[in-house]
Amino acid sequence: MPPMATMSKKRKREDPEGGPRSDHIKFNLWNNNTAALGPTLILPSALGPTGVDEFSYFFGGGTSVPLDSNACIITGENNKMRYISSNSGTSNQDRDCQYLLCIRDKDTNQMHMCTSSIFPVHHYVKAFEPHGTELSQSTEETRRNARARLGEAFGTKKGQAAIRAAERSRVDISAMVGVSDILQATISTNTRTLPPSDQTKGLGETRPHIPRFNPNATSPSDVYPLDGMVSDAEFSCISLGLVSLDKLPFRRSAWLNNRVKKKTSEQPIKSEKTSAYVYQPVVESTLTAFSKLLFYISSMLAFRRVAFKPMEQEDLRGRLVSVPEPIVDSLITRFTEGLRGSTIVHLTPPKEMELIAHLLALCLRVDHYVCDPKVLAADLGMSLSSIQTVFKSLGCMIAVPTVAECLELELPTQKRGDKLAILRVPLKLPILSKTRRL
């Protein structure tokens, strides 16, 4: 027996006009350029806006601003995240591609269509959001104090010393309000003797470990002026009777003894007309300057020998009785360091390198700006590479002299193949390294 046909008892719904409902859907275009809020398309990031109950609209120009303008912002949040979105800043009419949203009303069987603005969603973690201005200003001070307390309680001795040093160097600006005028007046008084700015433009090119130099010199004799290494008072206190092997302050120098023995013989001097070194009898003024330079170099070698360890200034002068007092005072002032308020002085390693640089500059002047670094390295008790480094800092080239230079200086045959320290113009000083100090 065939099964009985089941009949549906569900009542058919009728359309609002009274007739049976039609299956055709009516489309209606929603005009969202009014004050009414329509549907909006939100483009979330990889982390979607989960757990957000509702979003809020914010308009910059009032509620009458349409959603497709650039003045609308949509926000939403949950317990941990905050979502903020804004449209792309251009109107829907200006875009090449638009999004069309459709909403179907089941009661009226109508499909409402409207164009939607695009709102990209950016998420922010609430725990990472900055606090107010007053809180942020006190946060740094609170963190510093808490870190200092932890360091004093659990830090190492080195860390605790650093914390105390930072506390001592901290300046209380509020305590300087009443003395700011006094400080400015004191600074103005103490800086009256400073040279003007136009005279200090070239000071950036000076190098403290070498003598004062002339970068625009056209002759080797003008590169290092003699008055920049030896003052007139020092030069005038040296008598010619002191320039002898038995009266020199320092006698253990082969370079110095060799030149003292030849001080009365013929010496090569530079001719003003031919700009070449030729042999001719030395005039009295040239011989006097030559002899005084040898005595001054001997005084510098003796000073370096006795001032290598800290001692009182009077004890240092007592060990240099053969050196005139103006020269000793000048050497102590220029090439020693001492504690403030103490009379103990010391030839520190940086000052010793400065002394050697001045000494080699004088040796270049005596040898007509071509020196043998091997002989000077043996006299100073230093390695050949160290002496060559000092010569390079003075702008010298460590090279074999050319044939023209050998003929011009009349160098011996056995010296013509050796590498010598030659000072040439224009002056080319080496580039100072920031990590290495001479």
Side-chain angles (χ1 to χ4, degrees):
M1 184 176 179
M4 297 181 60
T6 59
M7 299 181 61
S8 175
K9 297 182 180 181
K10 185 177 180 180
R11 182 172 62 87
K12 294 183 177 181
R13 303 178 66 180
E14 297 180 355
D15 56 1
E17 297 179 356
R21 178 174 175 172
S22 175
D23 294 335
H24 297 286
I25 300 176
K26 296 181 180 180
F27 290 89
N28 181 23
L29 183 61
W30 189 328
N31 184 13
N32 63 339
N33 291 330
T34 61
L37 300 179
T40 303
L41 181 62
I42 295 178
L43 299 180
S45 59
L47 184 61
T50 58
V52 181
D53 297 335
E54 61 180 7
F55 285 88
S56 303
Y57 291 88
F58 295 94
F59 298 97
T63 56
S64 61
V65 179
L67 290 183
D68 60 350
S69 68
N70 56 5
C72 179
I73 297 177
I74 297 179
T75 61
E77 61 180 344
N78 53 20
N79 295 333
K80 297 182 179 181
M81 308 292 293
R82 188 186 305 277
Y83 301 92
I84 301 177
S85 61
S86 61
N87 51 13
S88 58
T90 57
S91 177
N92 285 333
Q93 288 77 8
D94 298 336
R95 299 190 183 96
D96 297 334
C97 179
Q98 301 182 14
Y99 288 87
L100 189 65
L101 299 182
C102 299
I103 301 177
R104 179 173 176 267
D105 189 355
K106 294 183 180 180
D107 296 335
T108 61
N109 200 22
Q110 291 183 356
M111 187 72 71
H112 299 281
M113 299 182 300
C114 66
T115 58
S116 172
S117 300
I118 305 173
F119 290 83
V121 175
H122 305 282
H123 62 277
Y124 302 93
V125 181
K126 289 185 176 181
F128 295 161
E129 291 182 351
H131 300 285
T133 306
E134 298 180 356
L135 184 60
S136 61
Q137 291 178 355
S138 60
T139 300
E140 182 66 22
E141 184 69 20
T142 303
R143 186 191 65 82
R144 188 186 301 111
N145 295 335
R147 186 174 181 179
R149 289 194 297 269
L150 287 175
E152 293 175 356
F154 305 102
T156 60
K157 292 183 178 179
K158 186 176 180 179
Q160 293 176 358
I163 294 174
R164 289 191 293 268
E167 291 293 336
R168 288 193 301 267
S169 61
R170 186 178 300 178
V171 179
D172 188 4
I173 302 177
S174 60
M176 300 177 62
V177 175
V179 297
S180 59
D181 297 337
I182 301 175
L183 290 176
Q184 293 178 0
T186 305
I187 293 173
S188 301
T189 304
N190 294 335
T191 55
R192 290 176 182 175
T193 58
L194 294 178
S197 58
D198 55 347
Q199 297 181 7
T200 58
K201 290 182 180 179
L203 294 179
E205 300 178 356
T206 59
R207 307 193 181 198
H209 64 281
I210 65 175
R212 177 172 54 88
F213 62 92
N214 180 17
N216 301 322
T218 57
S219 174
S221 59
D222 299 332
V223 174
Y224 295 103
L226 184 59
D227 58 355
M229 297 179 286
V230 184
S231 64
D232 295 338
E234 296 174 273
F235 216 71
S236 60
C237 71
I238 302 175
S239 62
L240 292 180
L242 297 175
V243 186
S244 59
L245 290 178
D246 56 341
K247 294 183 180 180
L248 289 178
F250 187 82
R251 306 182 185 93
R252 299 179 181 178
S253 172
W255 180 92
L256 186 63
N257 295 338
N258 185 26
R259 279 145 186 82
V260 171
K261 291 178 182 179
K262 298 180 180 179
K263 68 181 177 62
T264 56
S265 63
E266 293 180 342
Q267 301 294 336
I269 61 173
K270 193 170 184 179
S271 176
E272 298 180 357
K273 295 182 179 179
T274 61
S275 297
Y277 289 97
V278 295
Y279 258 101
Q280 61 183 17
V282 181
V283 295
E284 183 179 0
S285 60
T286 305
L287 178 60
T288 301
F290 180 79
S291 302
K292 289 185 176 183
L293 284 180
L294 292 178
F295 184 85
Y296 194 85
I297 293 173
S298 178
S299 302
M300 296 179 74
L301 292 173
F303 179 81
R304 176 175 177 265
R305 180 174 58 108
V306 300
F308 65 94
K309 61 180 181 179
M311 65 176 63
E312 294 285 344
Q313 295 186 16
E314 295 299 329
D315 297 339
L316 183 58
R317 291 188 178 94
R319 296 190 179 188
L320 297 173
V321 291
S322 60
V323 181
E325 186 176 356
I327 297 179
V328 178
D329 293 340
S330 175
L331 295 177
I332 292 176
T333 303
R334 290 191 296 166
F335 303 116
T336 60
E337 294 181 356
L339 298 176
R340 182 178 300 177
S342 175
T343 57
I344 298 177
V345 294
H346 180 210
L347 181 64
T348 58
K351 287 295 183 180
E352 182 182 7
M353 297 307 297
E354 185 177 352
L355 173 67
I356 294 175
H358 283 70
L359 187 146
L360 295 183
L362 293 176
C363 293
L364 285 170
R365 177 174 286 271
V366 172
D367 284 350
H368 304 286
Y369 309 99
V370 177
C371 286
D372 188 357
K374 294 181 181 179
V375 178
L376 291 171
D379 291 345
L380 294 173
M382 300 175 60
S383 62
L384 179 60
S385 60
S386 301
I387 291 296
Q388 290 178 347
T389 302
V390 181
F391 271 119
K392 290 178 182 179
S393 67
L394 294 172
C396 295
M397 300 288 295
I398 308 298
V400 177
T402 61
V403 177
E405 290 175 340
C406 292
L407 295 176
E408 182 180 358
L409 299 174
E410 298 186 5
L411 295 176
T413 306
Q414 62 272 17
K415 294 290 184 181
R416 296 186 178 184
D418 297 342
K419 288 186 176 182
L420 304 178
I422 307 172
L423 182 62
R424 296 170 179 170
V425 289
L427 181 64
K428 295 182 180 179
L429 295 177
I431 300 175
L432 293 179
S433 176
K434 296 182 179 179
T435 58
R436 183 179 179 182
R437 186 177 179 181
L438 180 65

